[in-house]
Amino acid sequence: MIGFRRLPDLWRRWDVTVRDVPLALALALSSLVPALHNRGTQLGDLPTRPMDALAVAVIALECLPLIVRRRWPAVCLALVATGFAADQLLGYHAVAGTALPIALLSTGLHLGGRRRAVAVLASAAYVPLAVALDRHGSGEGVAGFVTFYLTLAAAWAAGAWLRLSREGEAERRRHVAEATRLAERTRIARELHDVVTHHVTAMVVQAEAARYLGGAPERLDQTLAAISDTGRRSIADLRHLLDLLNPDHDADPRTPSVGELSALVAQTRQAGQPVEFTEEGVPPAGSAKVVAYRVVQEALTNALKHAHGSRTTVHVRHGGSEIVVEVGTEGGGSSVASPGGSGRGLAGLRDRVDVLGGEFSAGRRDGGFVVRARIPVGSPS
């Protein structure tokens, strides 16, 4: 059996014309109930006429067009208005007269174009009805007809307001979706930059150094082994990143896993960079650990690019409320390999740290280059 919770979803799958059938039928059938005869709208206060076969046709003309009120709202309004005029002129005063404000609201809400023209025509059509009722002996007067017209105009205005509200909400959702897609593309670009740049830079530096080790077979073998190991690490990291982009992946793509800082430092040392590494405290889990890892990774990548062979110090302190990272590289160094940089990495790090509410700085100091970051732990971001 179909669960009651699924009924709304199943109902929404039906075409809008099918979903509007119950409203039209309910209004038509209620108009035929004897107890509700002459209980509808009485514009003009003309003498009441008993229900007959013609009344059934008038009620059908008023109610059944509501089935297409969302698909063809202008057609619905024209038919309902015609039925309403017949209802009032003949004096049936059926409950079906309620269909007119419903049709006006639906037209203001669902009409796609030429809304002003339809509004003008509907307003113009009201004048002959008022004149005809007056000639049939109506005592409504100008004030009464104007008041009724304003009531109908309010129904149209309510539909127009709902339409504008829906369009505004749809536009807001479109902007949110676009901003979300842009943020996701930026995040993926940063992850790719961090992973690819570090590994490829290390491989380039190692490969360039291997060119000068022809007379030292043992060191050449070690360098080639380091290049191979770096390549495998790069492939593994890229596969992990691609797995995160897979919608069937179980892990949270916002917090990709990272390796240990000690392994990152060891890889940089294999590329020929002298690195002194100190780490205090226990690394926390979550975004703060990922950002701290990326700060160290980018700083070591830049050291390999621009100060290869220079002494580099990495100090990481894990506290209860924040992680402090400081990476300093002395000036000078070899120029064996210095792949060009775009500055995108440091800018991306600044954005990462800012999102978590931390502080980031990078610049020259005492003839060298220092990268420093303070990353709050447990940030809601």
Side-chain angles (χ1 to χ4, degrees):
M1 295 180 64
I2 299 176
F4 288 104
R5 295 182 180 179
R6 294 186 56 193
L7 290 178
D9 293 333
L10 294 175
W11 176 253
R12 284 191 288 268
R13 293 178 185 177
W14 288 94
D15 187 79
V16 290
T17 54
V18 177
R19 284 183 278 159
D20 285 330
V21 167
L23 173 63
L25 291 180
L27 195 57
L29 293 176
S30 63
S31 300
L32 299 177
V33 175
L36 297 179
H37 286 178
N38 305 321
R39 299 293 183 181
T41 305
Q42 296 186 18
L43 179 62
D45 292 330
L46 296 182
T48 301
R49 178 175 176 174
M51 288 287 178
D52 51 21
L54 182 58
V56 176
V58 171
I59 291 172
L61 183 58
E62 285 184 279
C63 299
L64 296 185
L66 291 179
I67 296 175
V68 295
R69 66 186 183 90
R70 283 187 275 189
R71 174 154 296 184
W72 299 304
V75 175
C76 170
L77 178 60
L79 294 176
V80 171
T82 302
F84 178 83
D87 185 1
Q88 300 306 311
L89 289 171
L90 295 174
Y92 292 120
H93 305 145
V95 176
T98 310
L100 181 59
I102 296 176
L104 284 167
L105 187 146
S106 300
T107 304
L109 175 58
H110 300 292
L111 187 61
R114 299 182 178 179
R115 287 183 290 270
R116 182 175 300 178
V118 173
V120 171
L121 289 175
S123 299
Y126 181 74
V127 176
L129 174 62
V131 172
L133 289 172
D134 185 71
R135 289 186 176 180
H136 279 69
S138 170
E140 193 78 46
V142 175
F145 285 119
V146 170
T147 301
F148 188 75
Y149 172 81
L150 293 177
T151 302
L152 297 180
W156 175 289
W161 179 80
L162 288 173
R163 175 178 54 80
L164 292 175
S165 299
R166 289 184 179 183
E167 290 177 353
E169 179 64 17
E171 184 69 13
R172 186 191 67 82
R173 291 183 179 180
R174 188 183 68 80
H175 282 301
V176 170
E178 185 66 25
T180 302
R181 284 194 296 269
L182 180 60
E184 187 67 9
R185 289 175 59 185
T186 302
R187 186 190 67 82
I188 294 172
R190 288 174 184 166
E191 292 294 332
L192 285 172
H193 174 275
D194 294 339
V195 171
V196 175
T197 302
H198 177 76
H199 291 304
V200 172
T201 298
M203 293 171 66
V204 170
V205 171
Q206 292 164 343
E208 289 291 331
R211 296 171 56 187
Y212 302 94
L213 298 176
E218 293 182 358
R219 292 185 58 192
L220 179 60
D221 289 341
Q222 293 177 355
T223 301
L224 294 177
I227 294 174
S228 178
D229 181 64
T230 302
R232 283 192 293 269
R233 288 173 182 264
S234 177
I235 293 174
D237 287 346
L238 286 174
R239 283 178 176 171
H240 176 74
L241 182 58
L242 293 175
D243 285 341
L244 292 178
L245 299 179
N246 187 347
D248 297 330
H249 198 265
D250 294 333
D252 186 353
R254 293 171 296 178
T255 55
S257 63
V258 292
E260 298 296 329
L261 289 174
S262 57
L264 179 63
V265 170
Q267 181 185 11
T268 307
R269 287 170 178 165
Q270 287 181 338
Q273 189 76 4
V275 181
E276 297 179 7
F277 174 58
T278 56
E279 186 175 17
E280 302 176 12
V282 179
S287 300
K289 176 183 177 181
V290 176
V291 173
Y293 183 93
R294 296 307 187 199
V295 169
V296 176
Q297 186 180 54
E298 179 64 21
L300 292 178
T301 300
N302 288 339
L304 282 173
K305 285 182 180 179
H306 308 293
H308 182 250
S310 297
R311 178 176 172 268
T312 302
T313 60
V314 177
H315 180 72
V316 180
R317 179 172 60 83
H318 303 284
S321 59
E322 63 181 16
I323 302 176
V324 178
V325 179
E326 184 170 328
V327 182
T329 305
E330 296 180 352
S334 171
S335 60
V336 170
S338 180
S342 62
R344 184 180 303 167
L346 293 178
L349 289 181
R350 188 181 305 278
D351 291 340
R352 286 176 183 268
V353 176
D354 287 345
V355 166
L356 297 182
E359 298 175 358
F360 178 83
S361 62
R364 296 196 173 275
R365 184 190 303 173
D366 300 330
F369 196 86
V370 177
V371 174
R372 192 176 190 278
R374 183 187 63 81
I375 308 163
V377 175
S379 169
S381 298

